Amino acid sequence: MFATRLAECQDGASSIDRPIVFLVSTTGCARDIQRHMGSADYSYVFVLNALAPVLERLGTWRLIEGPESRLPYLAARAVAEGARPIHLAIQPPQSGYATPALPTVLFPFWEFPEVPDRDFGHDTRQNWLRMTQPLALALTACDFTADALRRAGVACPIEVVPVPLAPEPFETPDWNPDHIWTLNCRHLSWGGPIEPKPESSLAETLNPTSSVRRITPARVKHALRSRYRRYVRPWLSPGAIRALSKAQKTLLRLPETPFPLLPRTPLTLSGQVYTSIFNFSDRRKNAQDMLSAFLVAFRDRPDVTLVWKLATSPSREFYELNELRTLYQGLRLEHRCRFVVVTDYLTDDQMGDLLRATTYYVNTSRAEGACLPLQQALASGRPALAPSHTSMADYMDDAVGFVLESHPEPTFWPHDPDHRHETTWHRLVWSSVRDAFVQSAETVESDRAAYDAMASTARDRMAGYASRDVVAEKLRQALRHLDDVSSGADGWAALSPAG
């Protein structure tokens, strides 16, 4: 019905001559990213923020909440106003929505060679082949994801459009060993120079036997929710899920008990700094290999620092720091090198300052769908220590840093409640990580020309791969696939079941 109304709004002119209006849907994290940082699919918000200037070059855009009820009306209004509406869904296939009222372009991120092609219990939306059938176009940020979708048999056109990089990283000054940066932020530090302790004891904050570690209603709620999502929800019918959703506020009406956050204290970075930005709760990120290799490589170097900027939120910080403390103490490695963990939310300018203080960026992930922080670091002229698998294979090699050796091993999709080992990710060779730390330090200390060459190549490569100009042209070319489905007097009606 809506598709017919859309067709009736046409004035006979070709729709491809009309200005584009992108009606964008994405994950719920877009409403408050600071509160949702580190939660499932939070990174899609950063993709939208990066893509917005490119969308504005090709037309206009607006964020749509509740696309199931809003899209047809907004599409009809756009056509009546002389525009060409396109639904851009920046989210995973199982979370997206497609309507015959207008063409849907899906932009998912995926880091495994196989995609879900079956239901997860009663959850029929997890079958990506079913969910991609109504699509007019699929965009991916890398060749790896595009190849995975094609092998799976996704029928719609698939085009690679990297996430665009802002101009600011390319303007970052070259690394200077004399540069010093200080920021007042929530952080922990082990080794290196001794920092003044705040009035509240960090030992008490992170002590698992401390009173703040007691079982509280919030911890009970977190445990119940995680177990329900893994062991119960996949086997419920849609009707049962809806009924439980309506009752969940009553079932889980437990008082929230705030957990202590780290106090904000001055953090100063200087000398050789290795930086990594990631979600500590994401098992793909392989934090243990990075930390252990760094501590072994630089155990006698108090002038070398590893910074972990965690993608976390106030509601997650306490739990993740306790897990991190268990990891760190479990290694039982004495060291003089410095290990810093930043949990505070940093603005774009502060993130830029962190990259300026950085000598090398580090990634030890088992799988990546894009890795925006790594791309931003390379654009900033900071060589990397990273593997060249999954999405990183598009731009990571020994001309822009030190490639970490890795090999495929079986694993399961992160959201599969059965944990069936139906796909693979990459196991890193630990000695390769340690050696890369040692060699990278030797390079910047004894062969600055080689370091500068990697830095310059990294900037140039990312400019040619993901600058806004490059991405805008790639997106413009990709959208040509929609000309056949959204042009002419009955273009949108052709997408309806009766069209």
Side-chain angles (χ1 to χ4, degrees), residues 137-156:
L137 174 65
L139 305 178
T140 69
C142 62
D143 289 326
F144 177 85
T145 307
D147 292 342
L149 295 178
R150 293 182 183 118
R151 283 195 304 270
V154 172
C156 68

Side-chain angles (χ1 to χ4, degrees), residues 319-365:
Y319 300 107
E320 294 183 345
L321 285 180
N322 273 289
E323 291 183 12
L324 189 151
R325 176 180 179 274
T326 300
L327 167 62
Y328 173 77
Q329 291 191 342
L331 294 175
R332 299 184 181 277
L333 290 171
E334 296 184 2
H335 61 92
R336 298 177 64 200
C337 55
R338 189 182 183 202
F339 173 43
V340 176
V341 180
V342 178
T343 59
D344 222 343
Y345 181 86
L346 302 186
T347 65
D348 290 344
D349 289 342
Q350 290 170 337
M351 292 293 286
D353 290 338
L354 174 58
L355 284 178
R356 180 178 180 181
T358 295
T359 316
Y360 290 98
Y361 189 86
V362 188
N363 177 298
T364 56
S365 180

Side-chain angles (χ1 to χ4, degrees), residues 11-68:
D11 59 7
S14 173
S15 66
I16 62 175
D17 297 326
R18 295 166 171 254
I20 295 177
V21 174
F22 294 99
L23 304 177
V24 181
S25 63
T26 189
T27 64
C29 301
R31 289 188 293 271
D32 187 354
I33 185 57
Q34 292 192 39
R35 186 166 67 90
H36 291 97
M37 186 73 75
S39 60
D41 302 328
Y42 79 97
S43 58
Y44 280 90
V45 177
F46 293 97
V47 174
L48 173 56
N49 292 340
L51 199 58
V54 171
L55 298 180
E56 291 166 1
R57 291 190 183 188
L58 304 184
T60 60
W61 71 278
R62 61 177 296 180
L63 183 62
I64 307 300
E65 295 187 7
E68 297 85 350

Side-chain angles (χ1 to χ4, degrees), residues 370-423:
C371 197
L372 300 186
L374 173 56
Q375 295 182 30
Q376 291 169 342
L378 293 173
S380 300
R382 298 309 185 259
L385 284 64
S388 184
H389 60 55
T390 54
S391 67
M392 296 178 286
D394 280 6
Y395 53 83
M396 183 66 204
D397 60 27
D398 56 11
V400 298
F402 297 82
V403 176
L404 309 179
E405 187 179 354
S406 67
H407 304 283
E409 70 173 354
T411 191
F412 52 87
W413 297 309
H415 59 303
D416 179 7
D418 292 336
H419 286 187
R420 299 184 190 179
H421 282 58
E422 297 177 289
T423 189

Side-chain angles (χ1 to χ4, degrees), residues 233-287:
R233 186 171 62 182
W235 306 106
L236 297 178
S237 67
I241 292 176
R242 287 192 295 270
L244 276 179
S245 297
K246 292 180 180 179
Q248 67 176 345
K249 292 184 179 179
T250 301
L251 294 172
L252 296 178
R253 186 173 292 165
L254 298 172
E256 291 286 353
T257 301
F259 288 102
L261 299 176
L262 294 174
R264 287 188 170 91
T265 56
L267 167 65
T268 298
L269 297 178
S270 61
Q272 289 193 47
V273 176
Y274 292 78
T275 298
S276 190
I277 304 167
F278 63 97
N279 177 3
F280 183 73
S281 297
D282 189 339
R283 60 190 287 267
R284 297 169 303 165
K285 301 305 181 180
N286 190 23

